[in-house]
Amino acid sequence: MKNKLLLLLALSVVLLPSCNFRSKTESNLTQDDLNYINSIIPLDEDENIEMFDSQGGFKGVEGSGNFYTNKRIGAYWIDGKDDEINSAKYEEIDSIKTVDKVQAVTFASYLDVYSSKGNFKVYIDADSSRTWAFFKGAIELWESKK
């Protein structure tokens, strides 16, 4: 029994890293990922994703995406039951509130975006430096477009 457990542990150590289950960020989005995002929230031709985060689990980008571009802030959650798709261009946004949950084990930090199109949350589940870089970058772009 002990040998079987050791073999299972050894296989896990070897095989799990090869599953390519890593977080999707703006730096490792593929062209297929970008095409998928664009099919959910159509972006302008000259629009570039500045920061991106996903809490889609095994579904990755196809399950969720939270981002800001040089023109908008957007977020989507696709689960086939309670799908949510939201985005607002900076000039449509009235205010943004940051909610820092970095220290919480089970919750992600988020931006509360209040716009003329409605209110929505944009989640970022990262360490404190990346979370605050996401918050700062989105707010600075919004303020520069007001």
Side-chain angles (χ1 to χ4, degrees):
M1 181 68 160
K2 186 177 181 181
N3 288 339
K4 287 182 183 180
L5 286 174
L6 288 174
L7 179 62
L8 182 60
L9 180 61
L11 284 173
S12 297
V13 168
V14 171
L15 295 177
L16 280 178
S18 67
C19 289
N20 201 19
F21 180 66
R22 59 183 190 195
S23 315
K24 282 291 187 166
T25 68
E26 65 285 347
S27 64
N28 62 8
L29 289 171
T30 66
Q31 188 59 51
D32 286 343
D33 294 334
L34 294 170
N35 292 341
Y36 180 77
I37 294 164
N38 197 48
S39 74
I40 294 172
I41 299 175
L43 305 177
D44 297 340
E45 276 190 36
D46 61 341
E47 193 167 1
N48 300 309
I49 294 175
E50 302 289 328
M51 288 191 83
F52 180 90
D53 192 62
S54 176
Q55 290 84 44
F58 289 111
K59 290 178 76 178
V61 172
E62 292 181 11
S64 82
N66 300 274
F67 61 90
Y68 68 88
T69 73
N70 54 317
K71 294 186 172 189
R72 81 179 75 224
I73 298 176
Y76 62 89
W77 174 264
I78 309 293
D79 68 0
K81 296 178 219 167
D82 300 314
D83 297 351
E84 286 188 39
I85 300 170
N86 297 291
S87 82
K89 290 197 173 185
Y90 292 117
E91 58 271 10
E92 300 169 327
I93 297 173
D94 300 319
S95 64
I96 299 174
K97 177 184 168 190
T98 61
V99 180
D100 182 357
K101 299 278 188 179
V102 170
Q103 299 300 320
V105 176
T106 57
F107 297 105
S109 300
Y110 59 92
L111 292 173
D112 239 337
V113 178
Y114 300 89
S115 80
S116 58
K117 297 170 95 177
N119 306 339
F120 61 96
K121 292 176 174 38
V122 181
Y123 292 93
I124 174 84
D125 192 14
D127 63 28
S128 62
S129 64
R130 180 163 169 81
T131 296
W132 282 99
F134 190 99
F135 287 173
K136 183 178 183 227
I139 290 170
E140 284 179 354
L141 277 168
W142 166 61
E143 288 176 338
S144 74
K145 307 286 182 176
K146 287 199 270 185

